[in-house]
Amino acid sequence: MDQLFLEAVPILERIEEAGFEAYFVGGSVRDYILGRPINDVDIATSATPLEVKAIFPKTADVGIEHGTVLVIMKSGTYEITTFRTESGYTDYRRPDSVQFVRSLTEDLQRRDFTMNAIAMDKSGEIIDPYNGQRDLSQKKITTVGNPHDRFSEDGLRMMRALRFVSQLDFHLDQETFNSLKKNGPILREIAVERILVEFEKLLAGDNRIKALNLLLESGLYQYLPQFAGQKGNLEKLLLLPLHQLTVTEMWAVILIYTNMKNIEASLREWKLPVKTIRSIQRILQLVKKEPTFEASTLEVFKAGQIHAVQAAKVKAIVNDRNVLEAEELMKLMHESLSLTHMSDLAVSGEDLLTWHKEKPGPWVKKYLEQILVAVLNSEIKNEKGEIKEWLNTCNLI
Ligand code: ATP
Ligand code: MG
């Protein structure tokens, strides 16, 4: 067993000693069987949240209404969720009621895909009533039970199916895919924040092109913010080396290819964090300024290293040039700047006011920028004396 499971075995034992059942479940068991690295382990138990809290001295209520208690141990913190079923999804998002049950099989039945409905006990024995292991070996994503019913209960599962395609390089079971094609409109009912999480995981996964292709083929894209009517434009993305970009850079590329005019409004509809929106806006501004050629030293200086590199990569994609080369070049260009902050300039506004007996005004900023450009372009050294002399010869002071 993986070290992370071994560390958590004492927790399963404590719950069992108290007279209840407890198992590892969900993504960690799936990834363990696949031989993929696991990040955290989820535990499911027949004990109710109150019973779990009575067993462990240190706990926190993180999602107690859904049956989840956080158990705090020396080895780390663990989410322990009571076996439950969900019934009635009148709003297509959240179950009307969560019912705690004492049976593992019932709990596994409410899970989205067979590969995510496998449990493992403390000795490493697998409990797999829905043939998740068979689907894992065939690299197949299959819903637990009828896909139509399962997607109608919670439309987000359709996006989860596609993000797993991207993360795991799996394919969709035929019936599951057919149902995906029919149930797209249900996505309209799902909170955009939840869709965003799955869409960004899709973008970050290694098999993003395969998953994006399915997003288009199934018609699901029409029900994502801003993507309706964009099939032709989104198809262009499939030909790009997106794997060389970060997710933020991918957003910039998506906005360019889908001709989004109002960037802020589009990204707000996607519910991206304001900080990310600002980064994307900055990248797009820089790309727009010099869409085809390398940026000037002044632009690189003003953009700062991070944005200058991001913009260079996006420009390279748009111009069908080598992205890694563009990235390296821009890094070198930024490293070779003779200064990176205005405060590094050897003269200040104060100096200019002393040398040039003028009243303070917009000229100070203008002169400073002229000096900056001259220093950045190595016309003069960043030295007070030399700068003063240069200003003299230019008749500026
Ligand atoms: P990851 O490795 O990305 O965390 P995961 O499979 O663990 O993948 P989580 O969102 O952490 O995904 O969910 C944990 C488990 O809860 C899933 O494996 C699945 O069994 C169940 N689950 C999560 N979301 C849903 C859902 N929308 N419908 C049904 N079951 C779900
Ligand atoms: Mg998980």
Side-chain angles (χ1 to χ4, degrees), residues 300-329:
V300 175
F301 171 88
K302 282 187 171 171
Q305 206 241 12
I306 292 173
H307 286 132
V309 169
Q310 289 173 323
K313 289 170 73 185
V314 172
K315 273 188 212 176
I317 287 259
V318 173
N319 291 297
D320 197 16
R321 290 202 337 258
N322 188 306
V323 178
L324 293 180
E325 241 172 63
E327 181 176 3
E328 280 316 304
L329 268 173

Tab-separated table of all heavy atoms in Angstrom, residues 300-329:
chain	number	residue	atom	x	y	z
A	300	VAL	N	9.239	45.503	-22.442
A	300	VAL	CA	9.627	44.375	-21.582
A	300	VAL	C	9.830	44.867	-20.155
A	300	VAL	O	9.377	44.254	-19.194
A	300	VAL	CB	10.906	43.687	-22.118
A	300	VAL	CG1	11.379	42.608	-21.162
A	300	VAL	CG2	10.642	43.106	-23.490
A	301	PHE	N	10.486	46.010	-20.034
A	301	PHE	CA	10.704	46.621	-18.723
A	301	PHE	C	9.369	46.889	-18.041
A	301	PHE	O	9.160	46.529	-16.892
A	301	PHE	CB	11.491	47.925	-18.895
A	301	PHE	CG	11.591	48.747	-17.641
A	301	PHE	CD1	12.631	48.533	-16.741
A	301	PHE	CD2	10.648	49.731	-17.352
A	301	PHE	CE1	12.721	49.288	-15.580
A	301	PHE	CE2	10.730	50.479	-16.201
A	301	PHE	CZ	11.776	50.265	-15.310
A	302	LYS	N	8.458	47.518	-18.794
A	302	LYS	CA	7.175	47.901	-18.204
A	302	LYS	C	6.317	46.690	-17.864
A	302	LYS	O	5.571	46.699	-16.887
A	302	LYS	CB	6.405	48.812	-19.160
A	302	LYS	CG	6.914	50.241	-19.149
A	302	LYS	CD	6.006	51.119	-19.980
A	302	LYS	CE	6.366	52.585	-19.812
A	302	LYS	NZ	5.636	53.411	-20.784
A	303	ALA	N	6.402	45.647	-18.678
A	303	ALA	CA	5.566	44.465	-18.453
A	303	ALA	C	6.014	43.695	-17.214
A	303	ALA	O	5.203	43.116	-16.509
A	303	ALA	CB	5.623	43.552	-19.675
A	304	GLY	N	7.318	43.708	-16.938
A	304	GLY	CA	7.855	42.869	-15.860
A	304	GLY	C	8.059	41.459	-16.398
A	304	GLY	O	7.426	41.061	-17.376
A	305	GLN	N	8.942	40.702	-15.722
A	305	GLN	CA	9.351	39.406	-16.269
A	305	GLN	C	8.177	38.449	-16.510
A	305	GLN	O	8.043	37.882	-17.589
A	305	GLN	CB	10.377	38.750	-15.338
A	305	GLN	CG	11.292	37.792	-16.087
A	305	GLN	CD	11.193	36.365	-15.581
A	305	GLN	OE1	10.301	36.037	-14.832
A	305	GLN	NE2	12.111	35.533	-16.014
A	306	ILE	N	7.311	38.319	-15.508
A	306	ILE	CA	6.254	37.302	-15.613
A	306	ILE	C	5.327	37.582	-16.789
A	306	ILE	O	5.107	36.728	-17.652
A	306	ILE	CB	5.462	37.220	-14.289
A	306	ILE	CG1	6.397	36.652	-13.199
A	306	ILE	CG2	4.223	36.349	-14.429
A	306	ILE	CD1	5.805	36.662	-11.813
A	307	HIS	N	4.813	38.805	-16.851
A	307	HIS	CA	3.876	39.118	-17.933
A	307	HIS	C	4.553	39.141	-19.294
A	307	HIS	O	3.962	38.751	-20.296
A	307	HIS	CB	3.172	40.451	-17.654
A	307	HIS	CG	2.133	40.334	-16.583
A	307	HIS	ND1	2.043	41.211	-15.538
A	307	HIS	CD2	1.165	39.423	-16.387
A	307	HIS	CE1	1.048	40.854	-14.744
A	307	HIS	NE2	0.501	39.764	-15.236
A	308	ALA	N	5.807	39.598	-19.340
A	308	ALA	CA	6.515	39.656	-20.615
A	308	ALA	C	6.669	38.236	-21.178
A	308	ALA	O	6.445	37.997	-22.369
A	308	ALA	CB	7.887	40.304	-20.446
A	309	VAL	N	7.007	37.285	-20.303
A	309	VAL	CA	7.173	35.896	-20.757
A	309	VAL	C	5.826	35.305	-21.177
A	309	VAL	O	5.715	34.665	-22.227
A	309	VAL	CB	7.846	35.036	-19.655
A	309	VAL	CG1	7.785	33.562	-20.000
A	309	VAL	CG2	9.293	35.470	-19.447
A	310	GLN	N	4.809	35.554	-20.363
A	310	GLN	CA	3.482	35.026	-20.715
A	310	GLN	C	3.043	35.554	-22.079
A	310	GLN	O	2.565	34.793	-22.934
A	310	GLN	CB	2.448	35.435	-19.656
A	310	GLN	CG	2.626	34.696	-18.329
A	310	GLN	CD	1.700	35.233	-17.255
A	310	GLN	OE1	1.438	36.449	-17.178
A	310	GLN	NE2	1.215	34.345	-16.404
A	311	ALA	N	3.222	36.868	-22.279
A	311	ALA	CA	2.790	37.473	-23.548
A	311	ALA	C	3.609	36.920	-24.709
A	311	ALA	O	3.077	36.663	-25.786
A	311	ALA	CB	2.916	38.992	-23.469
A	312	ALA	N	4.904	36.708	-24.482
A	312	ALA	CA	5.758	36.183	-25.557
A	312	ALA	C	5.283	34.789	-25.981
A	312	ALA	O	5.251	34.465	-27.177
A	312	ALA	CB	7.211	36.136	-25.090
A	313	LYS	N	4.902	33.976	-25.008
A	313	LYS	CA	4.435	32.621	-25.320
A	313	LYS	C	3.123	32.672	-26.108
A	313	LYS	O	2.948	31.953	-27.094
A	313	LYS	CB	4.251	31.820	-24.025
A	313	LYS	CG	5.573	31.473	-23.361
A	313	LYS	CD	5.388	30.892	-21.978
A	313	LYS	CE	4.860	29.468	-22.002
A	313	LYS	NZ	4.582	28.973	-20.636
A	314	VAL	N	2.218	33.532	-25.652
A	314	VAL	CA	0.926	33.632	-26.343
A	314	VAL	C	1.125	34.165	-27.769
A	314	VAL	O	0.533	33.668	-28.718
A	314	VAL	CB	-0.055	34.508	-25.530
A	314	VAL	CG1	-1.321	34.796	-26.317
A	314	VAL	CG2	-0.396	33.823	-24.208
A	315	LYS	N	2.013	35.166	-27.901
A	315	LYS	CA	2.307	35.700	-29.239
A	315	LYS	C	2.851	34.603	-30.145
A	315	LYS	O	2.506	34.526	-31.321
A	315	LYS	CB	3.375	36.787	-29.148
A	315	LYS	CG	2.853	38.169	-28.876
A	315	LYS	CD	4.010	39.138	-29.008
A	315	LYS	CE	3.860	40.304	-28.078
A	315	LYS	NZ	5.014	41.196	-28.119
A	316	ALA	N	3.726	33.780	-29.580
A	316	ALA	CA	4.328	32.711	-30.381
A	316	ALA	C	3.252	31.753	-30.892
A	316	ALA	O	3.249	31.374	-32.063
A	316	ALA	CB	5.366	31.954	-29.559
A	317	ILE	N	2.315	31.403	-30.010
A	317	ILE	CA	1.224	30.497	-30.412
A	317	ILE	C	0.424	31.124	-31.556
A	317	ILE	O	0.170	30.494	-32.579
A	317	ILE	CB	0.276	30.235	-29.220
A	317	ILE	CG1	0.947	29.331	-28.202
A	317	ILE	CG2	-1.048	29.673	-29.702
A	317	ILE	CD1	0.529	27.882	-28.232
A	318	VAL	N	0.059	32.389	-31.367
A	318	VAL	CA	-0.772	33.071	-32.361
A	318	VAL	C	-0.050	33.162	-33.708
A	318	VAL	O	-0.660	33.077	-34.765
A	318	VAL	CB	-1.152	34.485	-31.843
A	318	VAL	CG1	-1.861	35.290	-32.903
A	318	VAL	CG2	-1.996	34.369	-30.588
A	319	ASN	N	1.280	33.314	-33.665
A	319	ASN	CA	2.047	33.471	-34.905
A	319	ASN	C	2.670	32.169	-35.399
A	319	ASN	O	3.522	32.188	-36.271
A	319	ASN	CB	3.152	34.507	-34.697
A	319	ASN	CG	2.578	35.895	-34.528
A	319	ASN	OD1	1.949	36.407	-35.445
A	319	ASN	ND2	2.738	36.476	-33.356
A	320	ASP	N	2.248	31.055	-34.792
A	320	ASP	CA	2.734	29.754	-35.222
A	320	ASP	C	4.266	29.663	-35.146
A	320	ASP	O	4.913	29.148	-36.040
A	320	ASP	CB	2.235	29.491	-36.665
A	320	ASP	CG	2.342	28.023	-37.011
A	320	ASP	OD1	2.489	27.213	-36.088
A	320	ASP	OD2	2.281	27.697	-38.217
A	321	ARG	N	4.801	30.228	-34.051
A	321	ARG	CA	6.251	30.128	-33.843
A	321	ARG	C	6.540	29.227	-32.653
A	321	ARG	O	5.649	28.899	-31.877
A	321	ARG	CB	6.835	31.526	-33.593
A	321	ARG	CG	6.817	32.405	-34.820
A	321	ARG	CD	7.857	33.535	-34.724
A	321	ARG	NE	8.236	33.867	-33.366
A	321	ARG	CZ	7.795	34.916	-32.697
A	321	ARG	NH1	6.954	35.752	-33.259
A	321	ARG	NH2	8.207	35.157	-31.464
A	322	ASN	N	7.794	28.854	-32.502
A	322	ASN	CA	8.166	27.952	-31.421
A	322	ASN	C	7.992	28.614	-30.044
A	322	ASN	O	8.625	29.624	-29.746
A	322	ASN	CB	9.619	27.517	-31.626
A	322	ASN	CG	10.017	26.439	-30.665
A	322	ASN	OD1	9.873	26.585	-29.451
A	322	ASN	ND2	10.511	25.347	-31.212
A	323	VAL	N	7.145	28.029	-29.229
A	323	VAL	CA	6.787	28.641	-27.951
A	323	VAL	C	7.961	28.611	-26.957
A	323	VAL	O	8.245	29.605	-26.292
A	323	VAL	CB	5.566	27.923	-27.323
A	323	VAL	CG1	5.223	28.516	-25.969
A	323	VAL	CG2	4.377	28.014	-28.256
A	324	LEU	N	8.633	27.475	-26.888
A	324	LEU	CA	9.730	27.363	-25.915
A	324	LEU	C	10.857	28.327	-26.253
A	324	LEU	O	11.450	28.951	-25.374
A	324	LEU	CB	10.259	25.922	-25.870
A	324	LEU	CG	9.274	24.899	-25.304
A	324	LEU	CD1	9.878	23.502	-25.297
A	324	LEU	CD2	8.831	25.304	-23.896
A	325	GLU	N	11.125	28.439	-27.555
A	325	GLU	CA	12.160	29.374	-27.997
A	325	GLU	C	11.782	30.802	-27.625
A	325	GLU	O	12.602	31.566	-27.107
A	325	GLU	CB	12.278	29.282	-29.524
A	325	GLU	CG	13.631	28.837	-30.008
A	325	GLU	CD	13.569	28.590	-31.506
A	325	GLU	OE1	13.314	29.555	-32.271
A	325	GLU	OE2	13.736	27.419	-31.877
A	326	ALA	N	10.523	31.155	-27.886
A	326	ALA	CA	10.044	32.510	-27.562
A	326	ALA	C	10.166	32.772	-26.064
A	326	ALA	O	10.557	33.861	-25.639
A	326	ALA	CB	8.599	32.674	-28.015
A	327	GLU	N	9.862	31.748	-25.266
A	327	GLU	CA	9.933	31.881	-23.814
A	327	GLU	C	11.382	32.127	-23.377
A	327	GLU	O	11.665	33.042	-22.599
A	327	GLU	CB	9.396	30.599	-23.171
A	327	GLU	CG	9.408	30.627	-21.661
A	327	GLU	CD	8.784	29.384	-21.043
A	327	GLU	OE1	8.392	28.452	-21.786
A	327	GLU	OE2	8.702	29.351	-19.813
A	328	GLU	N	12.290	31.315	-23.914
A	328	GLU	CA	13.702	31.450	-23.561
A	328	GLU	C	14.250	32.821	-23.955
A	328	GLU	O	14.939	33.488	-23.184
A	328	GLU	CB	14.536	30.348	-24.245
A	328	GLU	CG	14.470	29.008	-23.541
A	328	GLU	CD	14.605	29.119	-22.027
A	328	GLU	OE1	15.608	29.687	-21.563
A	328	GLU	OE2	13.686	28.678	-21.309
A	329	LEU	N	13.914	33.221	-25.192
A	329	LEU	CA	14.379	34.518	-25.689
A	329	LEU	C	13.922	35.650	-24.789
A	329	LEU	O	14.693	36.555	-24.454
A	329	LEU	CB	13.824	34.759	-27.093
A	329	LEU	CG	14.721	34.310	-28.242
A	329	LEU	CD1	13.975	34.458	-29.565
A	329	LEU	CD2	15.995	35.163	-28.249
